């Protein structure tokens, strides 16, 4: 093929990328590829692009064009938010200098330092940041696999699954049963299943007050347990039956065809069944070969993996120490990582790692609670420094202020991830 | 969304004519109510701009009308749109500031009781007469009361370090300065920022998240953050 200007412009993106690669490298403009556009990946991509002022080439790989945040998706189930309220586009990142590619990353070659996309393109990188969130452990709940996710939704990756669960909730017969199979530790958003129970109860109280909720839980206790149980008693007396590990909550199987749940040998017919299986790092982390068991071990100082100093893992997929798997944590880790990656590639100043997290949960209208902590990097792990939690018996004004604060946080973190709305 | 123009139209329909609104209030009650404004707004002889603009000569001033204060874009638009401060526009604004100027950095939910707004407006009105007549009032706010070591206040912060540290703030406090339920912290005077953070650190100010975050920040770090946020304008 004769390479003139016309044919060059006409070549496919893949060929263009291959041709351009050595040239760009020769110019020395470093490349960062980020896989996953959630709280970790979007934040890291935005901060590196923003703070490097064009001196680093940042590409974000994210299959969805509209990202639905998992945080606040329970509030959609409860009717406090519309689905559009939790959906975000990537236009702000693109405007901020990030090359946003809507495609799946299907392979990582750490020797060649390239990422392969489902569309066929090969993207070279100097630093690779993986923020793929979670996938489910196969066979974690007997009788359930991904092919059953329409009959028994997990709704633990927000979007169509969340809408499906809401539709099933709305279609429940009068006095029906909503079952949840809660996950074992560690999992995304520790208070998430229990906020969801609260939001489902809120919906049922107003629309189907004789309905029941059963929770089969493999854990003996859970995040903000005293606060949730107090709230369930105050707002939804008699509606929620939580079956913890002590009462066989971990011995559970489901039959999606028959719509039954069997807890510790006792079979119950249910109308809706929300199965939240055990979790592991998003699959691409495993494909990249940076996982050990279900998660990817990382160094606390910069979120680089133990397996490869040029590959970083953020958020839920990482095994970092004391931080809970939350959007707030991923966002916090992303900023530490962005600072370190920029320093490694451009020689900018690298400051010591500092992490923090706060998780707000809504129990009922204007009844918000929160838990939070600060963390530091040690040789061994991300280590907790200090923390707080809402108290039981707080007055209504405090709880209302906490809920309003959570709304402010939502606006803040989504602006921090995706850029401020124009 | 209601525009400033809608509010202006609504305001002209208000039952009380402008002078009556300003005169109906009790100045002394207004002075007490002004306590909640003092953290950000100075008024009276020698008042200067702080996190918020000074409020001398407010009546008849165009919105975003002071040359030496950096207003939010919302306020700048309102000013261009013709918003002027009088009793009735202040009444609408004070009832729910963000309804009128959605992007204001003013972290204040509003004064819900109409009677209280009347008192406040009456108090404010006093400082809008002939400058020579501005009373030497106690409400000449000196910022937030504090007993901070002057050496801490004198620290010169490194804005580059502050930019990095600010990542911990911007998960909740928006870098663009908007307040959607969590206060705006951009463009604060440095000393005020330092005083506020040390007040959380020493648990004189109540907020569990802020006490935790400030609790582990050193004096240099607080100074760095103050140096960064004082000029952050998006």
């Amino acid at each position: 093929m004769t390479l003139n200007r016309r044919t060059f412009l006409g070549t496919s993106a893949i060929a263009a990328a291959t041709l351009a690669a050595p040239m760009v490298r020769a110019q020395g403009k470093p490349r960062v590829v980020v896989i996953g556009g959630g709280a970790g990946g979007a934040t890291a991509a935005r901060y590196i692009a923003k703070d490097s002022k064009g001196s680093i080439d940042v590409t974000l790989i994210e299959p969805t064009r509209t990202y639905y945040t998992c945080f606040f998706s329970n509030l959609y189930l409860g009717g406090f938010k519309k689905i559009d309220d939790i959906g975000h586009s990537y236009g702000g990142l693109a405007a901020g200098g990030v090359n946003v590619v809507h495609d799946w990353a299907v392979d990582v070659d750490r020797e060649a330092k390239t990422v392969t996309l489902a569309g066929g393109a090969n993207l070279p990188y100097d630093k690779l940041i993986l923020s793929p969130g979670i996938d489910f452990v196969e066979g974690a709940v007997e009788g359930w696999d991904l092919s059953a996710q329409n009959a028994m939704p997990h709704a633990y990756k927000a979007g169509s699954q969340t809408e499906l669960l809401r539709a099933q909730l709305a279609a429940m017969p009068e006095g029906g049963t909503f079952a949840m199979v809660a996950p074992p530790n560690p999992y995304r958003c520790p208070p998430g299943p229990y906020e969801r129970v609260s939001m489902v109860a809120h919906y049922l109280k107003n629309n189907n007050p004789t309905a029941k909720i059963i929770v089969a839980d493999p854990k003996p206790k859970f995040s903000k347990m005293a606060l949730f149980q107090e709230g369930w008693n105050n707002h939804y007396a008699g509606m929620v039956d939580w079956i913890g590990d002590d009462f066989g909550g971990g011995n559970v199987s489901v039959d999606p065809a028959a719509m039954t749940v069997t807890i510790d040998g006792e079979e119950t017919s249910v109308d809706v069944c929300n199965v939240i299986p055990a979790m592991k790092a998003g699959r691409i982390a495993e494909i990249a070969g940076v996982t050990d068991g279900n998660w990817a071990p990382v160094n606390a100082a910069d979120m680089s993996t133990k397996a490869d100093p040029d590959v970083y893992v953020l958020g839920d997929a990482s095994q970092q120490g004391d931080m809970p798997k939350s959007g707030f944590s991923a966002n916090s880790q992303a900023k530490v990582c962005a600072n370190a990656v920029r320093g490694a590639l451009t020689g900018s100043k690298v400051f010591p790692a500092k992490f923090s997290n706060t998780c707000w949960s809504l129990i009922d209208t204007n009844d918000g609670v929160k838990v939070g902590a600060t963390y530091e990097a040690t040789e061994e792990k991300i280590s907790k420094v200090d923390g707080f939690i809402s108290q039981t018996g707080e007055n209504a004004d405090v709880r209302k202020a906490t809920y309003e604060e959570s709304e402010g946080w939502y606006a803040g973190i989504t602006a921090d991830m995706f850029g401020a709305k124009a | 969304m209601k525009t400033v123009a809608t509010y202006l139209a609504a305001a002209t329909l208000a039952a009380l004519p402008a002078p009556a609104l300003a005169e109906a209030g009790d100045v002394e009650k207004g002075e007490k109510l002004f306590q909640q404004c003092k953290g950000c707004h100075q008024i009276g002889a020698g008042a200067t701009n702080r996190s918020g603009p000074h409020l001398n000569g407010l009546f008849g001033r165009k919105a975003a009308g002071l040359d030496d204060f950096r207003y939010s874009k919302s306020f700048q638009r309102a000013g261009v749109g013709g918003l002027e401060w009088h009793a009735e526009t202040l009444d609408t604004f004070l009832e729910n500031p963000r309804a009128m100027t959605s992007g204001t950095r003013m972290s204040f939910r509003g004064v819900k009781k109409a009677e209280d707004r009347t008192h406040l407006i009456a108090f404010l009105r006093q400082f809008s007469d002939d400058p020579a007549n501005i009373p030497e009032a106690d409400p000449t706010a000196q910022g937030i009361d504090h007993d901070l070591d002057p050496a801490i206040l004198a620290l010169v912060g490194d804005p580059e370090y502050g930019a990095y540290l600010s990542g911990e703030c911007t998960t909740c406090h928006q870098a663009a300065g908007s307040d959607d339920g969590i206060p705006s912290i951009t463009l604060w005077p440095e000393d005020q920022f330092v005083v506020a953070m040390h007040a959380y650190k020493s648990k004189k100010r109540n907020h569990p998240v802020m006490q935790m975050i400030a609790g582990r920040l050193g004096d240099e770090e607080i100074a760095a953050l103050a140096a960064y946020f004082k000029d952050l304008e998006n």
Side-chain angles (χ1 to χ4, degrees), chain A residues 294-306:
Chain A
N294 285 338
W295 310 101
V298 295
N299 298 301
D302 61 359
M303 303 302 290
S304 63
T305 55
K306 303 275 189 192

Side-chain angles (χ1 to χ4, degrees), chain A residues 188-205:
Chain A
R188 158 180 286 182
C189 189
Y194 312 99
E195 181 186 58
R196 176 169 296 175
V197 166
S198 308
M199 290 296 94
V200 167
H202 170 83
Y203 177 87
L204 293 175
K205 186 171 85 171

Side-chain angles (χ1 to χ4, degrees), chain A residues 47 331 335-336 339 349 351-356 370 373-375 388 405 408-409 411-413 416, chain B residues 109 158 160-161 164-165 167-168 170-172 174 176 180-182 207-209 212-213 216-217 221:
Chain A
Y47 269 71
N331 170 269
K335 286 178 267 199
V336 169
N339 184 252
K349 219 171 186 177
F351 297 103
K354 246 180 200 297
F355 304 95
S356 54
K370 58 184 170 183
T374 52
Y375 304 86
F388 72 89
E405 187 179 278
W409 163 75
I413 191 173
D416 205 34
Chain B
R109 292 283 160 271
D158 168 8
E160 191 190 349
Y161 189 27
Y164 167 70
L165 292 170
E168 196 162 34
T170 54
T171 304
C172 299
Q174 295 181 42
D180 290 308
I182 290 201
H207 191 280
V209 179
M212 177 182 81
I213 296 290
R216 68 159 173 173
L217 290 173
E221 291 175 319

Side-chain angles (χ1 to χ4, degrees), chain A residues 36-44 67 71 131 314 326-328 330-332 334 413 417-418:
Chain A
T43 307
Y67 182 84
F71 43 95
S131 191
L314 303 176
S326 73
F328 197 125
N331 170 269
S332 173
I413 191 173
M417 289 162 63
F418 300 109

Side-chain angles (χ1 to χ4, degrees), chain B residues 41-72:
Chain B
H41 293 284
Q42 292 193 354
I43 196 165
T48 57
N49 295 329
R50 304 293 291 163
S51 314
H54 76 74
L55 299 176
N56 290 340
L58 181 63
F59 281 67
R61 188 198 286 174
K62 204 175 74 170
L66 293 176
D67 292 337
D68 53 353
F69 185 79
R70 288 179 289 188
Y71 291 94
S72 63

Side-chain angles (χ1 to χ4, degrees), chain A residues 86-330:
Chain A
I86 62 167
H88 303 268
S89 82
Y90 288 91
L93 284 182
V98 176
N99 177 25
V100 181
V101 177
H102 293 298
D103 202 343
W104 282 95
V106 293
D107 200 11
V108 173
D109 183 338
R110 291 200 279 118
E111 290 278 307
K113 297 183 108 176
T114 57
V115 173
T116 306
L117 303 184
N122 259 324
L123 302 177
Y125 67 81
D126 296 297
K127 295 282 189 185
L128 174 63
I129 300 174
L130 305 177
S131 191
I134 51 111
D135 274 316
F136 300 112
V137 174
E138 277 175 44
V141 175
E142 193 188 327
W144 191 93
D145 62 29
L146 273 183
S147 70
Q149 69 169 7
N150 257 39
M152 294 187 169
H154 54 78
Y156 230 66
K157 298 180 185 187
S160 54
Q161 276 277 303
T162 326
E163 290 182 279
L164 174 64
L165 187 61
R166 164 88 185 174
Q168 293 182 351
L169 178 63
M172 265 174 71
E174 196 182 326
T177 302
F178 180 103
M180 172 189 282
V181 177
N185 290 321
Y187 61 96
R188 158 180 286 182
C189 189
Y194 312 99
E195 181 186 58
R196 176 169 296 175
V197 166
S198 308
M199 290 296 94
V200 167
H202 170 83
Y203 177 87
L204 293 175
K205 186 171 85 171
N206 291 318
N207 296 283
N208 191 350
T210 55
K212 297 278 179 226
I213 301 171
I214 307 173
V215 185
D217 203 325
K219 304 182 291 297
K221 58 188 171 94
F222 56 82
S223 171
K224 301 180 188 162
M225 185 165 175
L227 293 164
F228 280 116
Q229 291 192 327
E230 176 193 55
W232 296 344
N233 278 328
N234 288 346
H235 302 294
Y236 317 116
M239 186 180 268
V240 182
D241 186 9
W242 178 77
I243 303 168
D245 190 41
D246 302 346
F247 295 92
N251 179 17
V252 66
S253 64
V254 298
D255 184 341
M259 283 306 285
T260 58
V261 179
T262 304
I263 304 167
D264 210 22
E266 191 179 327
E267 188 182 277
T268 309
S269 285
V270 298
D271 299 290
V272 179
C273 188
N274 176 206
V275 176
I276 311 174
M279 296 170 204
K280 61 178 183 178
R283 175 116 171 89
I284 193 71
E286 191 183 331
I287 291 170
V290 294
T291 53
D292 179 8
N294 285 338
W295 310 101
V298 295
N299 298 301
D302 61 359
M303 303 302 290
S304 63
T305 55
K306 303 275 189 192
D308 186 333
D310 291 326
V311 179
Y312 301 73
V313 174
L314 303 176
D316 296 350
S318 68
Q319 180 185 308
Q320 32 69 22
D322 296 349
M323 294 184 84
K325 297 185 186 299
S326 73
F328 197 125
S329 293

